Amino acid sequence: MLKKGNKLYSILTGTCPKCHEESMYEDKNPYHIGNIFKMNERCSHCGTKYKIEPSFFYGAMYVSYGVGVAFAVATFIIAFVMFKATLINTFIAIIVTMIIFMPFIIRVSRNIWINFFVKYDPKAAKVNS
Ligand SMILES: [Zn+2]
């Protein structure tokens, strides 16, 4: 289901939105917190510049708000509806979930944000490969 050429592939793997061949990040693991915002400047495969304009990725904060709410709602449904937890325990579960997934949410939000602006280009993927 998840193939190169699908926006979801780039969003979930953090690969270049144009060619899907290279990771945008210096360190692929978002849980190495010190490196979480370190991105390569350009794709080494197709040359796409990731930071389209200065402070481009500030926009990703709006996306992370939406992604964060989605995680909170999902946790609420799982804890409160499925496990019949009390409200206070549900609240704690939401906080814990947010903390655990925060690095993932930050990365995914950036990936979603750049995928709004850069389209997959099969020709870019073929260059050099
Ligand atoms: Zn690329």
Side-chain angles (χ1 to χ4, degrees):
M1 187 189 100
L2 259 189
K3 284 188 301 193
K4 287 180 184 174
N6 186 325
K7 272 193 188 301
L8 262 180
Y9 179 86
S10 168
I11 288 168
L12 292 177
T13 58
T15 47
C16 168
K18 191 160 187 179
C19 70
H20 295 187
E21 295 291 335
E22 293 284 331
S23 175
M24 291 192 284
Y25 300 97
E26 287 179 18
D27 188 338
K28 284 185 194 176
N29 187 342
Y31 288 89
H32 296 156
I33 302 293
N35 295 331
I36 191 163
F37 292 117
K38 287 186 187 156
M39 301 181 74
N40 299 316
E41 196 180 327
R42 286 174 183 278
C43 174
S44 62
H45 186 83
C46 70
T48 296
K49 197 177 174 198
Y50 299 134
K51 210 172 177 185
I52 295 168
E53 55 193 46
S55 47
F56 171 68
F57 283 105
Y58 279 104
M61 284 193 297
Y62 301 110
V63 180
S64 72
Y65 179 77
V67 176
V69 169
F71 269 82
V73 170
T75 308
F76 178 84
I77 291 169
I78 290 167
F80 191 71
V81 179
M82 289 169 66
F83 285 95
K84 312 239 183 291
T86 60
L87 261 185
I88 187 74
N89 284 341
T90 302
F91 186 69
I92 292 166
I94 289 172
I95 302 283
V96 171
T97 304
M98 296 304 273
I99 291 169
I100 291 172
F101 283 98
M102 195 43 88
F104 175 77
I105 291 171
I106 288 170
R107 280 278 171 97
V108 158
S109 304
R110 289 190 163 216
N111 302 344
I112 291 171
W113 182 246
I114 196 166
N115 268 283
F116 278 142
F117 299 93
V118 183
K119 281 203 168 66
Y120 178 68
D121 181 354
K123 280 184 222 132
K126 279 200 188 100
V127 178
N128 303 330
S129 62

